[in-house]
Amino acid sequence: MKRVTPDDVIKLAAMECAASCITTALHMHGCDYRYFLLGYWNLTYFSGTLMSGKHVRHLDLESVFGVQKTLHAGSPDDLRGALKEQAIMLMLCHASKLQFFPKNQLSLESEGFQHYILIYGYDVESGQFLIIDPIADYIGRMTDEELYACSVRKDLRFYSLVFPLHAKQTNHYDVIRQETERNLASYMKDETNDGGNAISQFSSDLAGIAERPAEERNAWIERNNISISSIIKSRALIGEIYRSFQLLEEEGPDQQTGSIEQIIKLWTTVNFLMLKFKRSPANASLIVSLRQKLEAVKAAEAELLDFLRQKGREQCEV
């Protein structure tokens, strides 16, 4: 049984529990998880919250890593059976029902946000599952009863990740081209609540939020302050991935407006203006400033993604 250490755990950002579990699973299996993060420039507007995460069902692990991802509803016996098949599981749960989860990180659960933990083994002697929660910085064990207690349903809902017996041969340049093209295409779609359109939907809600009761308005602002902080952290991390693949220079692409540094500054300004908006919701000029900064973020991100797509094509042509 492999002994897991903190060095095995990849923690992305506070609201990136699924992606953190997946990158940890990839890392534990010796895969280069940077390829996963290469295509993880996401945005979505869900339940009044702007965030960078993507639902697990939309994450492609097979084309690059050969990992088969399947959703199950079952029991602890099903988990044990999957572990015997060398699978690793992402289990959907309520973070508030996990004894080890920090109480100060539970503010989003009331809005319908659920949590994932990673189940990677089973200790027959103690009768406990071996689990990792990257967001809670936790490596430990849970019994059958504890899993049922935190489950989002009466049964256990989990995704099994089945890794191929032999690591899939990755064509480095093909993956870069594929993921940079996919990032731009997803960002520019206009008929969903994802990508650049997520920013537009969030921006449109600002004026209406100003008219809402103070408790509701403050909860919306606080929730989005947390989620935008996660966006900032994940953008910075993914920027380092792009640099490691020589898609970006250390100082950003020729200091253009669509650089990682500029994007992080814009998102940070949005978060600062949100705090001012919380204190002065009747200040119409703040809403105007916020919407202008959000448009600047959207334009800068689209410019960066287009730049990366061109760089990805250039690398394939060399």
Side-chain angles (χ1 to χ4, degrees):
M1 186 180 300
K2 174 179 169 56
R3 180 176 179 272
V4 175
T5 71
D7 289 339
D8 295 312
V9 180
I10 310 298
K11 179 179 179 179
L12 303 182
M15 294 186 67
E16 300 288 359
C17 57
S20 295
C21 284
I22 287 172
T23 51
T24 297
L26 291 169
H27 185 53
M28 289 172 62
H29 278 264
C31 301
D32 190 341
Y33 66 85
R34 294 180 303 163
Y35 289 118
F36 170 73
L37 293 178
L38 184 69
Y40 199 69
W41 194 278
N42 307 308
L43 277 180
T44 190
Y45 191 52
F46 170 76
S47 192
T49 309
L50 183 64
M51 54 189 176
S52 62
K54 183 183 286 188
H55 197 286
V56 175
R57 67 173 172 267
H58 299 311
L59 296 174
D60 175 20
L61 299 176
E62 190 160 8
S63 63
V64 176
F65 302 103
V67 175
Q68 294 183 353
K69 169 173 59 67
T70 309
L71 177 62
H72 302 271
S75 67
D77 283 339
D78 295 311
L79 286 175
R80 282 183 277 269
L83 288 167
K84 289 179 181 178
E85 299 298 322
Q86 303 302 308
I88 190 167
M89 273 73 66
L90 278 71
M91 181 178 148
L92 193 58
C93 63
H94 292 297
S96 60
K97 303 297 184 181
L98 298 170
Q99 295 180 0
F100 54 80
F101 200 87
K103 303 303 180 187
N104 62 354
Q105 295 184 32
L106 294 173
S107 58
L108 296 173
E109 187 169 275
S110 61
E111 298 299 323
F113 290 92
Q114 295 168 335
H115 188 62
Y116 284 96
I117 58 175
L118 194 65
I119 301 175
Y120 69 95
Y122 184 73
D123 181 10
V124 177
E125 290 186 7
S126 66
Q128 294 178 310
F129 289 93
L130 308 181
I131 72 126
I132 301 170
D133 187 333
I135 303 304
D137 298 309
Y138 181 79
I139 301 171
R141 300 165 180 240
M142 291 179 69
T143 63
D144 292 16
E145 293 74 21
E146 288 171 329
L147 290 180
Y148 273 125
C150 73
S151 178
V152 298
R153 302 286 171 83
K154 290 183 178 180
D155 53 13
L156 305 182
R157 299 298 170 100
F158 61 94
Y159 284 90
S160 64
L161 305 182
V162 179
F163 286 74
L165 293 177
H166 303 288
K168 185 175 179 180
Q169 293 299 310
T170 302
N171 186 311
H172 175 78
Y173 296 109
D174 281 351
V175 173
I176 286 176
R177 178 189 53 76
Q178 170 186 296
E179 297 303 328
T180 52
E181 288 184 353
R182 182 184 294 177
N183 280 342
L184 179 62
S186 297
Y187 198 85
M188 300 307 291
K189 283 183 179 179
D190 196 41
E191 72 276 10
T192 67
N193 63 337
D194 297 324
N197 199 45
I199 293 179
S200 298
Q201 291 184 22
F202 175 78
S203 179
S204 295
D205 277 358
L206 277 167
I209 288 295
E211 305 300 323
R212 304 303 299 169
E215 184 176 352
E216 181 183 340
R217 181 178 62 248
N218 290 341
W220 185 86
I221 292 170
E222 290 165 8
R223 189 166 71 246
N224 280 285
N225 274 144
I226 294 171
S227 63
I228 291 172
S229 294
S230 286
I231 292 172
I232 292 168
K233 185 173 180 180
S234 63
R235 293 295 193 248
L237 188 151
I238 294 169
E240 291 303 315
I241 302 296
Y242 292 148
R243 290 190 180 100
S244 72
F245 285 138
Q246 286 77 53
L247 290 168
L248 294 178
E249 301 297 331
E250 188 62 31
E251 299 302 320
D254 301 324
Q255 296 297 310
Q256 63 179 347
T257 55
S259 68
I260 292 288
E261 291 77 9
Q262 179 68 10
I263 287 168
I264 289 173
K265 286 178 183 177
L266 286 168
W267 277 119
T268 302
T269 301
V270 167
N271 239 4
F272 175 71
L273 289 173
M274 290 278 285
L275 291 172
K276 294 182 70 173
F277 176 51
K278 182 180 178 181
R279 294 193 295 268
S280 306
N283 187 340
S285 65
L286 272 177
I287 296 178
V288 173
S289 295
L290 261 168
R291 298 189 75 172
Q292 289 174 342
K293 288 298 179 185
L294 287 164
E295 283 303 308
V297 169
K298 184 176 175 180
E301 294 207 331
E303 182 178 342
L304 174 67
L305 295 178
D306 186 52
F307 175 87
L308 292 168
R309 178 180 61 90
Q310 294 176 44
K311 288 286 287 185
R313 287 181 172 179
E314 291 170 7
Q315 286 197 8
C316 287
E317 293 169 358
V318 172

